[in-house]
Amino acid sequence: MLHIDIRSKKYADQNILKNIHFSLKEGVFLSIIGPSGCGKTTLLRLISSLDSDFEGSIDIETNSIGMMFQEPRLLPWLTVRENIAVVDKIGDPEAVVKLLRMVGLEHTLDTYPKNLSGGMARRVSLVRAFINRPKLILLDEPFVSLDKPTALALQNDLMLFCKSFNPAVILVTHDLDEAIALSQKILFLGGEVTGEIITHVNDHYGFDSLEPTQVLTIKEKILSLYPNILEGKL
Amino acid sequence: MLNLLYLRMGSVLVLITLWHITALLADSPMFPLPLNVLNSFMEHISNGELLHHLGITLYRVTMIFLIAMPLGIAFGLLMGNFKKIDAALDTLLVLGLNMPALVVIMLCYIWFGLSDVAAILAVVINKVPTVIVNIREGVKAIDKKLIEVAYIYKVSRYKMLFTFYIPQLYPYIIASARNGLSLIWKIVLVVELLGRSDGIGFQLSMFFQFFDITSILAYSFSFIVIIILIENFIFRPIDTQLSKWR
């Protein structure tokens, strides 16, 4: 599905990313975690080809990608329906309604983004990311700046969509709990890949499939390997 | 809304009252009463000549507007987006902005003859640089994060331009259309005065030679009415339609 082989990514003569190699299969949820400034977002921008100035190669076996950013990034002059339809390549108007219904937003079809709450706007952004049934979903800290219940509800919706459409997912985050709860694999990034921990034992999207005690065990295992991770250091 | 309407009408009423009082005090044929201007206006309408010349001037203004706006927007987009094009054209733009309108008009008439084409071209050359500057500023204010969304989802070039890009420029386009119209019709009158034998500008120059102040004011009044109609029935509805999401 996705093969990453980045030898180096420089910015103003400074190595931001170095020697990053990994592959990802369909149906696998990978979290990338690391301190701020470690190049997480840069890596995501390379994968999404928003930035193509690097040494190495990135092979993606699909040309349909969905992405969520830190902000909802909806076009304020379009209604919710139009915001989703504008990126729709399949062109099934029923699908827009169906996906919005899955996140409980079918009543907002003709609403402008300024009248949506932060959580609602992000759910619309989630629907937009999935409208083309992409094989690859990229998430750049989409839960940041949301309060805890709203973030959890959004994660719930994300998992619902993942189970329905089975994409490969890459989530960039600095929140360890979030990474453990959502992903099958976690990649620790600090200039280059420094470790990989498989958090889930089951082979499909997690979320709620781990017992609280299992979560604790995993967290302890990670913390023993990277004792400073909670302070944002590797 | 009703209060705002009263305010709009109120300012006009105050102006007319002041005019009336001043004219009474001046008591001179050089300073006609508002009512005399209105009478003259009705007279020029009823003998048909005002509407004839007004139509011709309006035609010129419309042509100039329809040529200058798209040209200015296109070059503004190019110069705002591409550093090389900006560098190549920037000096010309400064030249265009500061070239006296009168000089452009004279040159056009000398080179292309006393024709409608020369008249329209002269005003277009005067107007386009100001549109370019406005739109180029607008491009600087474009939210690149939204453009990235278009890029991620690989939307067509058409959608990129008309759904993601131009809507961010609407405020700048509307502003240039508004001050564009007022600039255009002012210059058109000069162009007509200098080298045409019809249009409001030409008529004004005739009245000026006879010191017929009442007719001069009546003709100006007719064009002001047109501008107010355009503002209320074209620009404002378009503005409302485009900014309903705000």
Side-chain angles (χ1 to χ4, degrees), chain A residues 82-102:
Chain A
E82 292 164 339
N83 256 294
I84 299 165
V86 76
V87 304
D88 187 0
K89 293 276 193 289
I90 301 171
D92 175 10
E94 286 299 304
V96 178
V97 182
K98 196 183 136 203
L99 292 197
L100 277 174
R101 194 175 294 133
M102 282 172 76

Side-chain angles (χ1 to χ4, degrees), chain B residues 170-226:
Chain B
Y170 279 152
Y172 295 87
I173 293 173
I174 293 275
S176 347
R178 278 205 170 109
N179 61 36
L181 190 68
S182 65
L183 184 73
I184 287 170
W185 93 270
K186 283 173 194 170
I187 304 178
V188 163
L189 295 198
V190 178
V191 170
E192 289 175 342
L193 182 142
L194 283 175
R196 305 300 306 134
S197 52
D198 49 16
I200 303 236
F202 167 75
Q203 285 292 91
L204 287 178
S205 75
M206 301 295 287
F207 298 137
F208 178 63
Q209 285 168 32
F210 296 114
F211 272 27
D212 184 352
I213 314 254
T214 316
S215 294
I216 289 180
L217 289 174
Y219 263 71
S220 318
F221 175 68
S222 73
F223 217 96
I224 290 166
V225 168
I226 294 288

Side-chain angles (χ1 to χ4, degrees), chain A residues 1-214:
Chain A
M1 177 71 244
L2 175 71
H3 305 282
I4 307 245
D5 180 15
I6 297 169
R7 285 194 296 285
S8 91
K9 161 69 188 167
K10 287 191 174 120
Y11 188 75
D13 276 340
Q14 213 179 340
N15 259 320
I16 309 256
L17 297 168
K18 213 172 77 187
N19 297 326
I20 295 181
H21 316 278
F22 67 89
S23 295
L24 204 59
K25 281 195 292 232
E26 231 169 272
V28 176
F29 196 122
L30 170 79
S31 287
I32 299 176
I33 196 166
S36 48
C38 74
K40 306 185 295 264
T41 296
T42 306
L43 178 56
L44 217 53
R45 291 179 69 83
L46 293 183
I47 297 171
S48 62
S49 68
L50 282 175
D51 185 348
S52 53
D53 176 27
F54 69 103
E55 282 172 44
S57 69
I58 295 176
D59 291 325
I60 304 173
E61 292 159 16
T62 173
N63 50 21
S64 174
I65 297 178
M67 186 156 179
M68 283 178 78
F69 303 88
Q70 290 177 24
E71 324 80 21
R73 295 201 190 182
L74 303 175
L75 302 182
W77 49 89
L78 298 185
T79 61
V80 165
R81 184 204 304 269
E82 292 164 339
N83 256 294
I84 299 165
V86 76
V87 304
D88 187 0
K89 293 276 193 289
I90 301 171
D92 175 10
E94 286 299 304
V96 178
V97 182
K98 196 183 136 203
L99 292 197
L100 277 174
R101 194 175 294 133
M102 282 172 76
V103 296
L105 283 181
E106 68 274 24
H107 61 286
T108 66
L109 269 171
D110 298 311
T111 309
Y112 284 99
K114 72 156 185 191
N115 295 324
L116 299 174
S117 70
M120 287 159 97
R122 271 167 230 248
R123 275 183 279 160
V124 173
S125 169
L126 174 73
V127 169
R128 182 175 67 182
F130 277 90
I131 192 68
N132 292 320
R133 297 161 205 208
K135 295 285 167 221
L136 178 62
I137 292 281
L138 305 175
L139 308 169
D140 186 5
E141 305 204 40
F143 311 114
V144 87
S145 80
L146 288 178
D147 58 67
K148 199 79 192 167
T150 314
L152 282 176
L154 187 63
Q155 289 169 11
N156 220 337
D157 289 332
L158 170 66
M159 281 300 133
L160 186 68
F161 277 9
C162 284
K163 282 169 185 162
S164 308
F165 299 107
N166 201 43
V169 185
I170 300 180
L171 167 72
V172 156
T173 180
H174 58 264
D175 185 330
L176 186 57
D177 293 328
E178 191 177 290
I180 293 174
L182 294 174
S183 34
Q184 286 143 273
K185 290 181 174 188
I186 299 180
L187 202 66
F188 291 89
L189 201 63
E192 54 192 289
V193 175
T194 44
E196 185 176 333
I197 291 181
I198 298 170
T199 65
H200 278 272
V201 272
N202 47 346
D203 350 300
H204 215 280
Y205 302 111
F207 205 56
D208 295 341
S209 55
L210 288 182
E211 298 293 323
T213 49
Q214 285 175 291

Side-chain angles (χ1 to χ4, degrees), chain B residues 5-19 221 228:
Chain B
L5 190 67
Y6 284 142
L7 280 175
R8 274 178 217 280
M9 311 246 294
S11 65
V12 177
L13 273 176
V14 167
L15 181 70
I16 291 175
T17 313
L18 281 178
W19 175 7
F221 175 68
I228 290 174

Side-chain angles (χ1 to χ4, degrees), chain B residues 68-166:
Chain B
M69 286 304 293
L71 258 183
I73 291 172
F75 276 95
L77 284 178
L78 287 173
M79 291 179 73
N81 279 305
F82 301 104
K83 282 209 174 86
K84 282 182 181 164
I85 298 180
D86 193 36
L89 298 180
D90 193 48
T91 315
L92 291 179
L93 182 64
V94 174
L95 188 73
L97 275 172
N98 292 290
M99 189 85 147
L102 200 55
V103 175
V104 177
I105 296 166
M106 287 170 172
L107 289 179
C108 282
Y109 274 148
I110 291 169
W111 287 336
F112 304 106
L114 295 177
S115 64
D116 245 18
V117 174
I120 288 173
L121 183 68
V123 190
V124 167
I125 293 173
N126 272 306
K127 177 55 196 159
V128 167
T130 64
V131 182
I132 294 179
V133 169
N134 266 332
I135 302 301
R136 188 175 62 174
E137 282 310 304
V139 170
K140 284 182 192 156
I142 292 261
D143 185 352
K144 298 215 168 47
K145 290 183 166 182
L146 294 180
I147 303 301
E148 284 183 359
V149 171
Y151 190 76
I152 292 275
Y153 291 104
K154 300 188 171 70
V155 304
S156 64
R157 275 164 192 273
Y158 180 85
K159 270 190 193 167
M160 174 71 105
L161 187 63
F162 289 101
T163 310
F164 286 80
Y165 214 93
I166 303 273

